[in-house]
Amino acid sequence: MSLTTLNQWITSLRAIPYQYSRQWKTPAQVNSDVVADCKGKAILLYAILRANGATHVLFVIGKHHIADLRTHAWLEWDTTSGTYLLYPTFNRAVERVSEHDPATYIPHYAYNGPRKYRASYHRPSSPHVVASN
């Protein structure tokens, strides 16, 4: 999968107007609705990636910034060329996790298909989510 294609998906999802919802929407609901929140956009991107053969993709819930009162949702994708941050709510393109300020993108929980983890936060020494059951 090319980063160009991934950036197109992120741009398309970012274009969906943001509106918080207490409800967790399915990828089909996000695709058909006119608004979505961070968890809806991230879960749809997760479904797209998995349908296109991507592995080692984590759906992450955590803080966008250390001082935030609310949580956000994004994806982290571990590849042979590095770990990428996929955040279609705010970002326009794929970014490397290692290039972020340690006070941003602080994971609390991570999900990979049927498995769920409590995330251990070890940045900057380890530039990706380390999850444990």
Side-chain angles (χ1 to χ4, degrees):
M1 174 177 332
S2 75
L3 292 182
T4 301
T5 300
L6 187 51
N7 284 336
Q8 290 170 346
W9 291 333
I10 289 172
T11 299
S12 175
L13 289 168
R14 188 176 187 280
I16 298 171
Y18 179 88
Q19 182 177 340
Y20 173 75
S21 172
R22 292 179 60 108
Q23 174 190 4
W24 281 74
K25 296 180 181 179
T26 66
Q29 289 171 317
V30 173
N31 228 1
S32 66
D33 287 352
V34 294
V35 296
D37 61 8
C38 59
K39 61 188 178 289
K41 292 179 182 193
I43 204 70
L44 177 54
L45 183 57
Y46 181 90
I48 292 168
L49 286 166
R50 297 295 297 198
N52 283 276
T55 58
H56 308 290
V57 180
L58 292 174
F59 177 86
V60 181
I61 297 173
K63 299 280 183 122
H64 179 245
H65 187 273
I66 198 165
D68 288 349
L69 297 177
R70 294 183 187 245
T71 58
H72 280 276
W74 64 88
L75 304 180
E76 290 192 12
W77 183 31
D78 193 24
T79 71
T80 56
S81 59
T83 301
Y84 293 99
L85 174 75
L86 314 174
Y87 194 28
T89 303
F90 292 138
N91 297 352
R92 294 188 187 327
V94 174
E95 299 178 16
R96 288 187 184 273
V97 169
S98 60
E99 295 173 357
H100 283 279
D101 180 333
T104 62
Y105 299 102
I106 301 162
H108 291 188
Y109 301 97
Y111 301 85
N112 181 0
R115 302 184 77 120
K116 58 186 174 187
Y117 307 93
R118 184 178 61 212
S120 298
Y121 182 64
H122 292 291
R123 287 188 202 128
S125 62
S126 177
H128 60 279
V129 173
V130 176
S132 62
N133 274 335

